[in-house]
Amino acid sequence: MKTLIEPFRIKSVEPLRLTTRDEREALIRAADYNVFLLRARDVIIDLLTDSGTGAMSAAQWAGIMRGDESYAGSDSFYRFEESVRDIFGFRNVIPTHQGRAAERILFSTLCGPGDVVPNNTHFDTTRANIEHTGAEALDLPCPESSDLAAQGPFKGNIDLEALEATIRERGAEHVPLVVVTITNNSGGGQPVSMANLRGASEICHEHGIPLYIDACRFAENAYFIRKREEGYAHRSYLEIAREMFSLADGCTMSAKKDGLANIGGFLATNDDELAREERDLLILTEGFPTYGGLAGRDLEAIAIGLREVLEPDYLEYRIGSTGYLGRHIAEAGVPIVQPPGGHAIYIDAAAFCPHIAPLEFPGIALTVALYRAAGIRSVEIGSVMFGHRDPDTGEPQPARQELVRLAIPRRVYTQSHIDYVVEAILDVWERREELPGYRITDAPEVLRHFSARFAPLA
Ligand code: F0G
């Protein structure tokens, strides 16, 4: 069969409100052309993020009813711990309310001024939590990743030569840990190979530095290893996941992605002494170590979700539908980060709208056009999100890239929804020369993409 069907049927539906183009025109104007300021009910297909937006299975909902809400020693915690230990292999499992809480605890325990933490590419919250301790967050993406349009099996890899050089230059005592993010979200959702993880592990351990994995999309990464790396075609996703984590000393996880849950995360490590310190910090802001800021029912949902996410039919559908979207728009000429990633398609907005200068925000132009055309919400990852001021002149500087991310929630949209998205993008592509640039009318100094207000240029 040629058609890749969704490996589930639908038991409970959430109606979509189908707005008209005129309604959307008024709504986006009222939101000052920032899709973060729209109400979700005014969005038809919401591709803002794949985080916490997935649909749970019947088994997970059954788990919700089984949630044990005991403050200490809840059964749900032990089921959660067993799932995490079985897949990730780490002895100490510390639940947190989401990924960034795990990051805050980890980095505030290990890092301080004068330290540097390398990563293939830090996600924004990872970077912010490292910088908050006074340490430096250093991105070391592999050289292939800088050519957005180039194909490559593992463009998410960390640059091993640069990693080795950084450790030698800075001194191992100033590198409290190294992180590898799988898949590399900020780098286009591209995977990291087992060989690259092994290389990073060897370098770290030679220098006595712990290696951590930012595991948000670990199952998607395992899928790519099985399909693209020699020697893994006959290994199960569970085996591949176990091998990936066996190379590391710990991990942080946002269960809002490959935990198939709407909230939750964890921090895991084999270092018992460190785990003790981390649990002490956990109690300060998250909660007792057997719930860590989550309800017992959330722990149940994650325990089940972590197993479902490794099911072959699910992963075929998941990566298949992201690839389907990417292929169909790329075939029509739309410039995207190649090859399609696991959780999202990234459109190169600078190449899509070459007539709009970076500081006139081609990414905003595209997010507004997609909303107007079809009620699709995407997100700019460009000069609004990562633009900065020149430290000497104070002049605004563009970001390295102007991307628009279409992140696909898990098990939420069907192929006809994706076909609708393809049609909308192609419609905007046909009229791309008409898209205006934008100027900022009001914005805070930090994290401005969330609340900035814009106006179209004449
Ligand atoms: N690490 C990566 C690679 C992420 O993509 C995210 C979240 C986090 C850590 C933080 O996890 O949100 O549970 O605190 N990414 C979301 C996104 C928000 O839209 O890509 P969190």
Side-chain angles (χ1 to χ4, degrees), residues 48-51 98-100 103 123 125-126 181 183 185 214 216-217 254 256-257 264 405:
L48 189 66
T49 178
D50 64 321
S51 181
Q98 61 183 83
R100 65 197 70 184
E103 292 165 3
F123 181 67
T125 59
T126 322
T181 304
T183 57
N185 182 11
D214 177 339
C216 297
R217 300 177 179 87
S254 168
K256 300 173 74 169
K257 285 86 171 173
R405 184 180 77 169

Side-chain angles (χ1 to χ4, degrees), residues 371-386:
Y371 178 73
R372 222 187 236 135
I376 296 165
R377 178 152 67 172
S378 54
V379 66
E380 188 253 18
I381 305 184
S383 290
V384 175
M385 195 181 273
F386 290 124

